[in-house]
C-alpha cells in the first residue's frame, strides 16, 4: 500500500522533512498546516519540491473547530476553508482533514454538525476537494469514530468522508470492530499512531507520547486489517506527535517510521517479508581498541585465550568456553577508548536473515571487508553496531572462523609484541593447531547477554529494529537508578530465551559519551571460582560496599561463609519470586566496555535489576 | 521548624548529598536505604560525616511490605527489621519509615495489620526505635492516611505512629482536614512533596514528577497548618522523586529545596519573612558584549540614543522612552557573543526586597562594584542573571542613574571610536546635558517584557525563585513548537501586570548554549511606524513567510493594505477571545540576544504564543 507520513512527525524545516521522508522511501506526506505557514516556500514551490522528490501530498491538515457552531461563526469557518482550498489547489492535494470541534462554542447537535459539514463539503466539491472528518478523542461532543460516522452518514454528501486515526480510536478503548460497518469509500484517510499504554490525560498522551506502530501497546495491525476489509485503499499514513522525534534528526526518524509501516504490513497480512531467521545465540562480540592492551589484559584475567588471528586484518580471536571476543586493533581511532563495534549472531539462515533485514531498511554492509575474507552477511543496527549473521561451523554456510589462523602463528604476527603474552595463561590447556580451538575450557562457559547503551533519540527505534529485523522479543522496560539520573533498560531475547540483548538508555541529557557504556556478560557454573580466577590473574573486580552485604544478610539466608566470600570478591546476588538465583560481578571499565560474570540457577530470567543502583554507584566512583 | 530532606531527593553519592544538604542549610536528612547500600561508608562513618556537617539523621527509609502478611512471611520481615534497627543504631537515628504493603501477598485485614505492626513496634522499642507507618497512595489495601491512622490507633503501641506524606494524601484527593483528629504525638514524621496537577497513574506521577512545595499544584501550606495544629513538632522533611533533580547538580537543588521550605513556612504562617517589595517595572536591562558594535547598531536602528556613560566602568546607557539598555563592553569574555547579564527592577523598597531575597537564599551581590558607585542592592537569579533593586530618581533612595555622566562627554570616552556615531541618530531630539536625559522620545516607549531561556534543570527553581523572592505571579505554562523540539514557556508578572518576565526552557537535551536565547520586548504605540523606523535605519527585521499572512487573511479581516504592510515588514499578529490584539516583530539575533517590538491593544495579555512556531522557524533559518 502507499505509505505516507505527516510532516509534524519529523523535525526541522518543511524542506528537511520532505527530503527525509523521500529518502527513507515514503510515497507521500500529509502537510501539517503550521509547517506550511512557517515555510518560506510558496505552496507551488512546496508542490514542486515534493514532486521532484517523488512524493505526493495526500492530505492537508488540520482544520479545527468548524462544525456544529452558531451560523455566524460557521460562516467565518467557511470563509477560512475557502482560502484553504485555494492553498490546497496550489499544493496539488485534494483532501482536507477536519477535526471534531473542541471549542466551548460547539453545540451538541448532530443534525447541525451534519448540515454544516455537508455545506462545507459542497464548498470543497466546487474546488474539486473533499473533507475527511475525524473524531478527536477529546472532541467536545464528538469523540468517537462511530459518532463521527453517524454524522457523516447523516450528512450524506459525496465529498464528505471519515478520517480514522488509530490513536483516537484505541486510546479511548473504543472497539474498532465497528469500522467494519463503514463503507470503504467513505473512509477517506487512515492515520496510524501507536502509543505506550499509559494511564494519563488523553490530550497530553496524544501530544507527547505517540510513537510508530509496533513501538507502543496498541493493536494497530488488527485495526488495519479491519479497515482494509472495508475496501479502503488510501494510504497508510503516520501522524506522530512525540517530544523525542521533534528533536531527533529527521533522516533517521523517517527510516524508523517507514520500517514500522513495513513491519505493520507484514503483521497485518498485507505484504509478506522474508521470514525471520531468529538468532539462537552469540557467535562473537568484537571490540575495537587502538591500544588493545587494556582489553586483552582483562580478557586474560577472565581466563580467555588468544586462539586465532585474522589472516588479513589485525584482529585477534579470544575464546573461552563458547564465549568469543574479537579484538580489533586496526580501527579504534575514536578518543573514548575501546568500544564494542560488532556482534556475531548465530543464525539458522544467514542469507534469509540479511534479506529480511534489508527489506526492513537495515543498512546492508559489504559481505567482504578484505580480499579472501569469508563472505558474511551483516547489517548495521540503529546505534551503529554491526550485526553479523553467522552459522559457525555449520556445513553449507560460510564460516567466519575460517578467517582466523590458529594461535600457533601468533609469534610471527605483525604486532605480537603489542599484545599480551599468551604463554602467561598457563592454567589452561595448550592451543590446538588445526582447526584452531574455538572453545577452550575455562571458568567461563559462554555469553549470557550483551548490553548496549543506545544514543538518546534512538531507544524506541532500536527496540523496534531488533524485534522486527531479528525477531527478538522485547521484555518489560525497567528504570535503573544511577547516582546522576535514571537509566531505562529493556531486554530482548530470542525464541528459546537466547540470545539476550539488553538495550539501555542513559539519562538525558547525557552529553558525555562515556556514559554510553557497553557490556558483555559471561556465564559461569561457579561464580566464586570464576571471580577468584580473575583476582588471581591480577585483574580487579568492581568493589561493592559492605552495607550491601549487610542488607543481603537481612533479606536472605545464606550458607555459612558465602556472604563473606561474596563481600570479598564483590559478587552481587538476586533472587526471584520463584526461587531462581542470580550471582554476578563486574570487571573494571576500559573505554566504554566492561565485563560481567553471571551465574544463573533455578530458572532466574532477569538481569539483577535490583542491584543495578549499587553497581552504577560503584562504577561512578 | 527543623528542616530535613530525604537523600533520594538529591543527585550524587551519599557524601555529595549530605554535603549539599548541609551547605544549603538543612538541619537533618532522611537516609534513603539504597543510598546507604551503595555507599562505601559504614553507618558509623555516615553518622560521623553527618555530625561533622551539622546534620541529624531524622529517619531511615523505607521498609516495605512487612505488615498484614501470613505469619511466616511476617517473621522474615521481623528478622529483616531487627537488622535494620542495628543499622539505625549505628547511624544514630531512631525512626524507621514503614510503607503500607503493596505485595499481592498482603491480606486485607486491619486487625492483622495492627497486630503485626504492634509486634514490629515492640521489637523497635527494645532497640530504642520507633515505627512511622505511611499509607502509600497505591498501597494494596491501605492507601489513605485515615485508614493508616485507624490501624495505628487499633495497634495502640507507643512506638508506633504515623508518617504523613503530602503527596500520598493530596494526590488521591483525600480531604486533609481529617488530620486534625490525629493526636500530634502519634504523627512521628511529616514528609512534604508537591507535584504538578496531572491526570496520570499515581505511581508514575509520584516516582517521576514530584517537586518542591510551591512548584506544583497542591496546597501544601494548608496541610502543614493542619498538621501543626495537632501539636506535631517534628521536622518538615522533603521527599522528592523527580527525574530532573536526579540529574541536576546536588548543591543548587538543595538550595532550591530549602528555599521552598522557607517560603512554605511563611505561607503556612510559621515564620514571617521581610514583606515582598514586588517590582513594578523594569529600570534597565544590561547586555555584556566584548564587541559592543552589533548590539549598539541594533539599538541605534531601534531608535535608542546613547545618553550616558558610567563614570567608572565601560558601560553606556542607551535610552528611548522608558526603555533603558546598558551596554557593558568591559566584560563579555564568553565566546558566545552578547548576552543579557542583569536586569534593573523598579522596586518600592529596595533594601526590603534585598533582605527578603537574602532570607530566601538568593546570593547577595556586592552593593558597590567600583569606587564611588551608587550602592545598589542586587542578588543573582538561578540562571545567573543579576537582579538590581532600583528606585530610579525617587528621593531617599540611591539612584543608579547618578553613576552615568551625560552624553556630551562621549567624544572623549576611552573607546568612542569603537562605538557607533551618536550624531548619526539625527531623527531625534538632541542629548540633554544635566541631568542626562533618561527618556528621550522615539517610536518605542518602554520595555514590555524580558524573556530568558533557563538552563536545563533550573526551570521550576527559577519559577519558585521569582515568585517567592520577588513576589511575581506565575501564569500557565505553554508549549511552543520549535523545528527542533518543544520549548516550555511561562510568564510571570508583578501585581499590576508589570513587570512581565518570561521564563523559557529549551528542548532537552540542548547542548548548544546558543539556544538559550534572551530577548527584550519593547513597547510601541505604532508598530508600523516603529518597524519602518528600524528598516529606514538600515537594521533588519526577522523575515516572516508569505504563507503566514495568507493564513492571517483567512482567519481575520483587516483594513485594506494592513496585511501588505505587515508582510513587507514582518509584523506578526494575534487576537485573543476578547478582541485584544497583539502586533509584534523581531530584530536579528546578536550573540544570544534579540529584540522584539510589540504593540498591545484592547487589553491583550498574552505574548503571541500562537505565532511562536513561525518566529522560531524563521530564527532557525
Amino acid at each position: 500500500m502507499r505509505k505516507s507520513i505527516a510532516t509534524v512527525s519529523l523535525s526541522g524545516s518543511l524542506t528537511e522533512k520532505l527530503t527525509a521522508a523521500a529518502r527513507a522511501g515514503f510515497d507521500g506526506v500529509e502537510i501539517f498546516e503550521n509547517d506550511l505557514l512557517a515555510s518560506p516556500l510558496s505552496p507551488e514551490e512546496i508542490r514542486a519540491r515534493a514532486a521532484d522528490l517523488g512524493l505526493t501530498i495526500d492530505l492537508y491538515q488540520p482544520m479545527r473547530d468548524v462544525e456544529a457552531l452558531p451560523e455566524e461563526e460557521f460562516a467565518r469557518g467557511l470563509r477560512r476553508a475557502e482560502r484553504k482550498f485555494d492553498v490546497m489547489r496550489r499544493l496539488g492535494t485534494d483532501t482536507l482533514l477536519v477535526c471534531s470541534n473542541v471549542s466551548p462554542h460547539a453545540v451538541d447537535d448532530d443534525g447541525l454538525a451534519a448540515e454544516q459539514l455537508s455545506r462545507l463539503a459542497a464548498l470543497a466539491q466546487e474546488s474539486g476537494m473533499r473533507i475527511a472528518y475525524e473524531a478527536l478523542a477529546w472532541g467536545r461532543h464528538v469523540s468517537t469514530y462511530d459518532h463521527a460516522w453517524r454524522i457523516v452518514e447523516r450528512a450524506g454528501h459525496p465529498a464528505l468522508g471519515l478520517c480514522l486515526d488509530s490513536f483516537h480510536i484505541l486510546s479511548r478503548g473504543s472497539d474498532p470492530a465497528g469500522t467494519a460497518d463503514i463503507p470503504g469509500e467513505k473512509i477517506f484517510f487512515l492515520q496510524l499512531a501507536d502509543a505506550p499504554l499509559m494511564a494519563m490525560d488523553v490530550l497530553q498522551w496524544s501530544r507527547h507520547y505517540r510513537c510508530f506502530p509496533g513501538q507502543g501497546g496498541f493493536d494497530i495491525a488488527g485495526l488495519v486489517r479491519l479497515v482494509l476489509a472495508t475496501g479502503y485503499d488510501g494510504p497508510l499514513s503516520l501522524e506522530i506527535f512525540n517530544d523525542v522525534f521533534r528533536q531527533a534528526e529527521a533522516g533517521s526518524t523517517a527510516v524508523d517510521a517507514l520500517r514500522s509501516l513495513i513491519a505493520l504490513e507484514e503483521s497485518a497480512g498485507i505484504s509478506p517479508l522474508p521470514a525471520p531467521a531468529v538468532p539462537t545465540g552469540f557467535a562473537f562480540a568484537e571490540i575495537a581498541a587502538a591500544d588493545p592492551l587494556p582489553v586483552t589484559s582483562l580478557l586474560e584475567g577472565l581466563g580467555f585465550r588468544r586462539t586465532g588471528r585474522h589472516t588479513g586484518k589485525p584482529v585477534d580471536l579470544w575464546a573461552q568456553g563458547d564465549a568469543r571476543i574479537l579484538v580489533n586493533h586496526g580501527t579504534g581511532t575514536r578518543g573514548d577508548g575501546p568500544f564494542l563495534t560488532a556482534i556475531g549472531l548465530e543464525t539458522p539462515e544467514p542469507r534469509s536473515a540479511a534479506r529480511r533485514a534489508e527489506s526492513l531498511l537495515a543498512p546492508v554492509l559489504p559481505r567482504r571487508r578484505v580480499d579472501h575474507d569469508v563472505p558474511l552477511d551483516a547489517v548495521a543496527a540503529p546505534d551503529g553496531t554491526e550485526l553479523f549473521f553467522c552459522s559457525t561451523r555449520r556445513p553449507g554456510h560460510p564460516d567466519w572462523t575460517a578467517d582466523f589462523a590458529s594461535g600457533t602463528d601468533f609469534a610471527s604476527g605483525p604486532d605480537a609484541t603489542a599484545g599480551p603474552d599468551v604463554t602467561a595463561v598457563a592454567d589452561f590447556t595448550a592451543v590446538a593447531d588445526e582447526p584452531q580451538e574455538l572453545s577452550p575450557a575455562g571458568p567461563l562457559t559462554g555469553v549470557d547477554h550483551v548490553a548496549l547503551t543506545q544514543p538518546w533519540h534512538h531507544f524506541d527505534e532500536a527496540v523496534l529494529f531488533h524485534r522486527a529485523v531479528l525477531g527478538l522479543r522485547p521484555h518489560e522496560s525497567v528504570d535503573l537508578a544511577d547516582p546522576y539520573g535514571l537509566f531505562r533498560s529493556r531486554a530482548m531475547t530470542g525464541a528459546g530465551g537466547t540470545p539476550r540483548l539488553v538495550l539501555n538508555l542513559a539519562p538525558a541529557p547525557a552529553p558525555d559519551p562515556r556514559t554510553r557504556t557497553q557490556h558483555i556478560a559471561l556465564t559461569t557454573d561457579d561464580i566464586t571460582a570464576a571471580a577468584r580466577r580473575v583476582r588471581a590473574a591480577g585483574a580487579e573486580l568492581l568493589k561493592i560496599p559492605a552495607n550491601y552485604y549487610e542488607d543481603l544478610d537481612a533479606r536472605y539466608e545464606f550458607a555459612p561463609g558465602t556472604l563473606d566470600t561474596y563481600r570479598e570478591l564483590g559478587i552481587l546476588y538476586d533472587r526471584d519470586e520463584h526461587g531462581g538465583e542470580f550471582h554476578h560481578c563486574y570487571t573494571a571499565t576500559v573505554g566504554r566496555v566492561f565485563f560481567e560474570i553471571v551465574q544463573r540457577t533455578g530458572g532466574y530470567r532477569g538481569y539483577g535489576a535490583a542491584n543495578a543502583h549499587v553497581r552504577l554507584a560503584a562504577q561512578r566512583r
Side-chain angles (χ1 to χ4, degrees), chain A:
Chain A
M1 298 188 70
R2 291 178 47 74
K3 297 178 192 69
S4 294
I5 186 166
T7 54
V8 72
S9 318
L10 300 170
S11 71
S13 68
L14 183 53
T15 304
E16 288 170 323
K17 291 165 189 248
L18 294 177
T19 305
R23 285 207 182 138
F26 277 96
D27 304 301
V29 292
E30 305 174 29
I31 298 280
F32 178 57
E33 182 168 75
N34 278 1
D35 284 323
L36 177 96
L37 301 189
S39 173
L41 301 182
S42 69
E44 291 82 356
E45 287 168 328
I46 294 165
R47 174 187 198 154
R49 182 71 60 103
D52 285 350
L53 290 165
L55 293 170
T56 54
I57 297 178
D58 296 327
L59 188 78
Y60 185 76
Q61 62 116 326
M63 181 147 183
R64 299 184 193 276
D65 300 342
V66 71
E67 89 287 14
L69 287 172
E71 179 60 25
E72 190 185 341
E73 269 192 78
F74 175 67
R76 280 202 295 275
L78 274 188
R79 175 177 169 278
R80 185 154 49 100
E82 203 159 10
R83 303 301 183 91
K84 298 303 170 189
F85 295 145
D86 185 53
V87 169
M88 289 166 61
R89 182 187 50 70
R90 294 161 65 200
L91 277 173
T93 188
D94 67 358
T95 308
L96 174 65
L97 176 71
V98 170
C99 299
S100 63
N101 205 321
V102 301
S103 157
H105 302 169
V107 184
D108 187 8
D109 179 342
D110 285 3
L112 182 65
E115 185 255 331
Q116 290 182 341
L117 284 171
S118 179
R119 284 163 64 194
L120 178 66
L123 190 69
Q125 200 173 31
E126 286 173 23
S127 308
M129 304 288 162
R130 58 185 199 161
I131 303 295
Y133 182 57
E134 171 182 73
L136 296 181
W138 54 91
R140 189 158 179 90
H141 303 297
V142 179
S143 57
T144 60
Y145 77 91
D146 46 316
H147 191 177
W149 167 235
R150 289 197 301 276
I151 291 171
V152 166
E153 198 173 23
R154 182 163 176 172
H157 196 287
L160 179 66
L162 280 184
C163 173
L164 296 180
D165 179 307
S166 60
F167 182 88
H168 292 300
I169 296 172
L170 301 172
S171 65
R172 291 185 52 102
S174 294
D175 182 353
T179 54
D181 302 332
I182 307 171
E185 70 273 12
K186 294 304 277 185
I187 302 174
F188 285 3
F189 210 75
L190 177 58
Q191 291 179 322
L192 299 175
D194 203 346
L197 301 182
M198 303 168 84
M200 73 181 301
D201 173 69
V202 72
L203 176 60
Q204 294 302 317
W205 190 17
S206 173
R207 289 213 176 143
H208 300 286
Y209 298 97
R210 287 185 178 211
C211 56
F212 297 128
Q215 295 178 349
F218 293 150
D219 178 13
I220 310 289
L223 177 70
V224 167
R225 272 192 297 265
L226 285 165
V227 173
L228 295 195
T230 67
Y232 173 77
D233 63 356
L236 302 180
S237 190
L238 297 166
E239 191 204 29
I240 313 294
F241 308 93
N242 179 293
D243 289 359
V244 174
F245 297 161
R246 281 182 187 276
Q247 297 174 50
E249 195 270 312
S252 64
T253 307
V255 169
D256 181 25
L258 190 62
R259 178 181 299 127
S260 79
L261 283 184
I262 295 169
L264 177 68
E265 284 194 324
E266 181 190 41
S267 43
I270 300 167
S271 305
L273 295 175
V278 184
T280 55
F282 292 105
F284 62 82
E286 179 170 348
I287 294 169
D291 171 11
L293 191 58
V295 172
T296 54
S297 297
L298 265 186
L299 290 174
E300 279 206 293
L302 287 163
F304 278 81
R305 293 173 55 204
R306 189 162 61 164
T307 64
R309 160 152 296 175
H310 196 283
T311 52
K313 289 181 293 193
V315 179
D316 289 339
L317 166 60
W318 291 74
Q320 179 176 191
D322 289 328
R324 289 164 217 118
I325 312 285
L326 306 183
V327 178
N328 185 335
H329 38 107
T331 60
T333 54
R334 291 199 212 169
D336 54 356
F339 64 104
L340 190 148
T341 56
I343 298 171
L345 294 165
E346 291 293 350
T347 310
E349 293 296 334
R351 295 313 315 266
S352 165
R355 278 196 303 273
R356 178 177 178 84
E358 188 171 7
S359 308
L360 283 158
L361 312 180
V364 174
L365 303 173
R367 299 187 77 221
R368 288 180 203 271
R369 306 297 172 89
V370 294
D371 284 351
H372 313 301
D373 252 10
V374 171
L376 290 178
D377 288 295
V379 299
D383 67 353
T385 303
E386 299 182 349
L387 306 178
F388 286 86
F389 299 114
C390 304
S391 273
T392 308
R393 296 197 173 163
R394 281 211 303 123
H397 294 281
D399 181 7
W400 63 277
T401 68
D403 282 340
F404 289 81
S406 74
T408 49
D409 292 327
F410 290 171
S412 60
D415 40 15
T417 52
D421 184 358
V422 175
T423 60
V425 193
D427 293 355
F428 298 96
T429 55
V431 172
D433 270 354
E434 286 291 346
Q436 83 272 21
E437 196 185 9
L438 258 196
S439 306
L444 307 183
T445 52
V447 172
D448 183 86
H449 62 278
V450 172
L452 301 174
T453 306
Q454 299 296 301
W456 172 239
H457 295 153
H458 295 293
F459 188 75
D460 288 340
E461 175 184 359
V463 174
L464 176 61
F465 178 94
H466 289 97
R467 185 173 67 73
V469 170
L470 302 182
L472 298 184
R473 186 171 71 87
H475 299 256
E476 283 294 293
S477 194
V478 293
D479 286 337
L480 308 177
D482 177 88
Y484 302 97
L486 286 182
F487 270 82
R488 196 168 145 207
S489 184
R490 194 161 190 188
M492 307 195 66
T493 54
T498 57
R500 298 183 189 93
L501 186 66
V502 178
L503 304 177
N504 292 323
L505 182 64
D512 185 348
R514 287 170 304 175
T515 62
R516 280 188 38 215
T517 55
Q518 306 166 315
H519 85 263
I520 301 170
L522 303 157
T523 49
T524 183
D525 298 328
D526 184 342
I527 188 78
T528 305
R532 285 207 192 288
R533 166 69 184 71
V534 172
R535 289 273 287 268
E540 281 201 32
L541 290 170
L542 191 69
K543 212 169 152 43
I544 302 299
N547 297 331
Y548 168 79
Y549 294 97
E550 295 189 6
D551 182 59
L552 277 190
D553 193 30
R555 289 195 290 137
Y556 306 112
E557 293 186 60
F558 292 88
T562 301
L563 274 189
D564 291 336
T565 304
Y566 280 20
R567 183 186 298 110
E568 175 204 340
L569 295 168
I571 296 170
L572 299 145
Y573 175 82
D574 188 32
R575 189 185 298 175
D576 68 23
E577 55 188 355
H578 310 296
E581 293 178 303
F582 193 60
H583 316 252
H584 55 139
C585 58
Y586 296 88
T587 69
T589 303
V590 294
R592 288 168 48 194
V593 179
F594 62 91
F595 296 89
E596 180 180 4
I597 306 175
V598 314
Q599 180 182 4
R600 294 172 184 272
T601 56
Y604 182 94
R605 288 168 184 240
Y607 300 82
N611 297 325
H613 74 103
V614 174
R615 184 258 297 177
L616 286 162
Q619 288 179 322
R620 290 284 194 171
R621 279 194 287 274

